[in-house]
Amino acid sequence: MSDGRKRFSGSEYKKRAKDKEYKESKVLNKIPKLSTFFKPATPSSLNAPDNGQQHQHDLEEIETSKCESDLVINNLTTSTLNMDPATFYIDYNDPAKWIINDVTRDYVAKHGINQNLNDDFTCSKREYPDKNRFLNKSLFVRTRINGEVQSRPWLVFSKSTGTVFCAPCRLFGSAHLSTLVTIGFNDWKNAVRKLNDHENSIPHKTSTVALIERGKTAGKINQEIVLQLEQETNYWRNILKRIVATVRSLVIRGLPLRGSEEKFGSYHSGNFIMTLELLAEFDPFLSEHIRHYGKIGSGNTSYLSSQTYGEFIQIMAEKITKQIVEEVKVSKYFSISVDSTPDVSHVDQLSFIIRYISKDGTPIERFLKFIANTGHKSEQLADAVFDTLNQYNLDIKNCRGQSYDNASNMAGKYTGLQARIKEVIPLAIYVPCSVHSLNLVGISAVDCCEKSTTYFRYLQELYNFFTASTHRWEILLFYLKKSKCVKSLSQTRWSARYEAGKSLCTSWSEIKNALQAIIDDANEKPVTKFDASVLLKPFNTIEMCFMTVFWNEVLERFHIVNKKLQSVNIELGMIVELYGSLEQYISRIRNNFEEYEGKAIQICGEMQYKKDKRRTVKRKRQFDETMNEVITETGKEDFRINVFFVILDKLNAELVRRGSSYKNLCVKFDFLTNICSFDEEIISEKTRALIEQYPNDIEESFTNECLHLRDHLFFKSDKKRNAQELCKMLYTNDLIDIYPNVTTALRMYLCTFATNCTAERSFSALKRVKSHLRSTLESDRLNATSILHIESEMLRSINYDDIIDDFASKKVRRKML
């Protein structure tokens, strides 16, 4: 359908458009020019420091496109202003012709300083009594005392005067400062000294800073808006610095941030708001911000909400994780350790730990993440390990070790986790956790005989009796005075039973008196008296006292070794030495039965064994027996043979069996720590074996490097070093280029786990982070909070500005940050 309008042809439309354009141009030609509305300027007004500044701003508004050139700022016609055009001609390449005002300052700050190095310096001639001197290009650079050459971008040559000027000082400095500011400097004979004095002066540095700051906003028509924006940006960055500092302090200690109510002034608010309120009492800036934005409500920018600090937690966690992964990639070789435990919400959490060598040759163990609900089958655990390594882009081929506890799903020789990883990378040797193995040694010794089992059960029953009632505990404390109280047996660390045994050994008579006081108290219940009498009976036997003295000394040694094994800096060689020392200790105390018996008699006052107190049952002699064939053991001999020797033999056998696995692993690298004690033939044999095992990591020159290293250590008279000391020496003295293959071998050796105690420590952090008050914590937030809490040392080194910059780049905000 037609809309009623008349249609024209294409040529008619073009014709009508040309007519319209012609009519518009005639109208525009009749309109007066913009320059006619301004009062013409006089030369004197241009040179005036006050009025000229405003006039130049007016001129800037009417400047044409030619104003962007380096020669003309105001190309106004003579007919318009009725004055000499040269008056408005400013040569920005010649500092002698500069008109010092804001326009000139802005132009130079925006376009930079042209030093005119390509000009002809013949006009800079100055006559001296001895000879004529000229400006030399060497003055435009400065040679420092250490030989470094530094340019002088502030020095400008003026062709019209044949002198040089200091551009920043001429624009921002005082007029009476020096000839570098006023008429130009040309004392070429003393130029080096005077230029050095000038550039080290405070006025010069102040002027240079002013020019740099001017350049940040110069040439912009929105200078006031930019300044206002900078002020607002600084305001919000200062607020975020306080928020980041608060969040960092809380997560380092594993404290919850949220409360039941997220309101300022509420007693039910969380630690985050509580900390900000505390800081606001002493920080007027933060106090004013909370007053304006603390109760502004959702939908408004305040950066005080739980969403904001949740994002900061995630950003900081990503930074730390990225830093750990980068350090692992730089180190190349690494080892892994995993262990699982249920959290407070009964979700199984698998802790993933990685070990590598730092830039200074020190072994480091880092926590990466918790993996929820992986399952306990070795296949499921292997998939979790591979997925985690792929997630962080870590090559499994660089894995040189793995360490877990002695559970069958982890340590299984054929289908365990270690076996499945070895199928992918055979060089990932499995190292049983040395601390867990030592605990198993003790457990085996306890279960080897009835007397030993009864002793530790008695320790726990004694603790349970006194802690079941506050009244009994007060009675015990009354008799103990400054002695140690009874302790409970540890369910995880067997060597920690040392504290329970020591408390009984050092407070034998005090505990005995406390039990007797409960029995003699007429106000006590009959059941309580009966339990106390049952616990008191062993105090009157030499067997119980002997076990207390014996296990106190044995457990003391095991406890000290156990604590040493938990160190991150422990290496396989030290484990072999410690296990061997315990073997020697157990063998030595085999002859100390009389000594332990004497101490037991001195403590309890009993000299007879239970067997000696019983009536001897006479067996009817058979017709073919003689009197000499009847052998009767005394209580002492029976206890020594069937209890004392049995425990020691079991301890020694388990130490030998479990320590042998570490010897087999250590024998490949132990020659590096004792290299000075081996001859050339043995070193060649051991290095050849290592080259064959690691053909893609160690080169053929490894043998020559080891022989050279042996001579090096002989020369330093430093014949014996452990692996960590040797590796650190190579890094510290910058000898890696000389011994690259030795360094590679040490890195592979030292990156191997000796224990998985770091994984056990992460479980303690898990209990603090995911407590019963935060049982619904999601997996991502749990991992972010956990890594910030566990790796708090790395978190302290992160700069606040870096965190805020990442926060601003990731989120679109109403406020510029």
Side-chain angles (χ1 to χ4, degrees), residues 331-335 355-357 363 397-402 425 427-429 431 572 665 668-669 672 690-691 693-699 702 723 727 731 740-753:
S331 178
K332 185 176 181 179
Y333 302 111
F334 62 89
S335 296
R355 179 183 172 102
Y356 57 94
I357 305 301
K397 294 181 181 179
N398 294 327
C399 181
R400 291 295 178 268
Q402 46 182 328
I425 175 67
L427 298 178
I429 59 176
V431 181
L572 293 179
L665 297 173
K668 303 174 184 177
F669 297 91
L672 292 173
L690 212 57
I691 293 173
Q693 185 174 1
Y694 300 98
N696 297 326
D697 299 308
I698 301 178
E699 300 172 341
F702 181 49
C727 184
Y731 276 91
N741 292 291
V742 174
T743 306
T744 300
L746 289 172
R747 281 161 48 206
M748 291 190 295
Y749 175 59
L750 290 174
C751 78
T752 305
F753 275 95

Side-chain angles (χ1 to χ4, degrees), residues 57 60-63 68 106 110 214 216-227:
H57 277 294
E60 186 183 13
E61 295 180 1
I62 61 173
E63 64 179 350
E68 296 296 329
D106 290 342
K110 177 182 177 182
R214 189 77 168 225
K216 294 181 179 179
T217 56
K220 299 179 181 179
I221 62 174
N222 58 344
Q223 294 185 25
E224 294 184 0
I225 298 177
V226 171
L227 294 175

Side-chain angles (χ1 to χ4, degrees), residues 526-546:
V527 176
T528 303
K529 291 184 178 182
F530 175 77
D531 293 340
S533 62
V534 172
L535 293 174
L536 184 60
K537 286 181 181 179
F539 278 86
N540 299 320
T541 61
I542 189 175
E543 288 88 347
M544 179 59 70
C545 193
F546 183 95

Side-chain angles (χ1 to χ4, degrees), residues 170-193:
R170 181 155 175 77
L171 293 172
F172 297 94
S174 301
H176 61 279
L177 186 65
S178 69
T179 55
L180 282 165
V181 179
T182 54
I183 60 176
F185 176 82
N186 64 348
D187 186 5
W188 313 127
K189 185 176 182 180
N190 304 306
V192 175
R193 177 179 57 82

